[in-house]
Amino acid sequence: QDTPDWPKATRRVLVHCLQSSGCSYFMTVLSQSPSIATAIDVAVNSDGVPKSPDEVMIRDKNESNGIVAAVKVTVWGTSNNPDPDPVARLREMHRRFRPHVTILFVRHPTDNFLSLQKHLTNKRKGGPGYARSKGEPREKLRNLERLFLSAVGAGREG
């Protein structure tokens, strides 16, 4: 349970990526800085990111200034998804979380797809693997492409 004495993040970063893209590793590297707190796989099995930026609290009382909260949210596919439009979902995340910066983390699509193929089934428990969570890999790649093209079309590449 968060308490009022924890400082709020002064900067918010939203990292949006596919599963098996190397994004969790990227977040782990980011978290090596004492001024960055990371949250990995937010909203994998829920409807989004924290309801408001006020919910992002840092549990280290010694780091009250200059804290960056970096949140990783994966790109969903279109099947079994309450919001199949990836651009609309990203806009909703922006409205709710109000990040200062958004990073669309991209791995080469062929490499990402091949990596996802290894996780189609859960080898320990049987049944679908995480690659099928919130859509099929091909859908997720199509949605990543839509997000990328919408960012490029808006002049936000870089």
Side-chain angles (χ1 to χ4, degrees):
Q1 179 81 21
D2 287 338
T3 60
D5 59 343
W6 288 328
K8 293 182 174 133
T10 57
R11 302 283 295 166
R12 293 173 303 281
V13 177
L14 175 65
V15 181
H16 206 31
C17 56
L18 283 179
Q19 297 155 317
S20 286
S21 65
C23 193
S24 292
Y25 181 72
F26 172 71
M27 296 293 285
T28 301
V29 171
L30 279 182
S31 71
Q32 299 305 302
S33 169
S35 62
I36 299 177
T38 60
I40 297 177
D41 293 335
V42 173
V44 169
N45 293 308
S46 67
D47 67 346
V49 296
K51 290 184 175 55
S52 80
D54 291 339
E55 290 184 11
V56 180
M57 308 295 263
I58 307 303
R59 290 180 170 86
D60 185 351
K61 294 178 190 177
N62 299 321
E63 296 287 347
S64 60
N65 295 316
I67 290 294
V68 176
V71 176
K72 173 193 160 202
V73 181
T74 58
V75 175
W76 289 350
T78 51
S79 60
N80 301 320
N81 183 340
D83 190 357
D85 180 355
V87 177
R89 179 171 177 251
L90 183 58
R91 280 190 199 115
E92 178 62 14
M93 284 189 267
H94 278 212
R95 184 188 71 75
R96 291 169 61 187
F97 186 58
R98 295 194 310 264
H100 296 93
V101 176
T102 300
I103 298 170
L104 184 60
F105 187 94
V106 179
R107 179 180 183 186
H108 190 282
T110 301
D111 295 334
N112 210 152
F113 183 76
L114 291 173
S115 181
L116 283 169
Q117 295 305 301
K118 297 175 190 174
H119 303 284
L120 293 175
T121 59
N122 185 324
K123 292 172 181 44
R124 284 181 288 150
K125 298 179 184 177
Y130 75 76
R132 289 193 162 131
S133 170
K134 299 293 185 186
E136 293 293 321
R138 288 184 194 277
E139 299 170 354
K140 293 173 184 180
L141 282 161
R142 275 193 293 270
N143 283 347
L144 178 68
E145 182 177 33
R146 288 183 64 197
L147 288 163
F148 180 80
L149 292 175
S150 76
V152 169
R156 291 187 299 260
E157 72 273 8

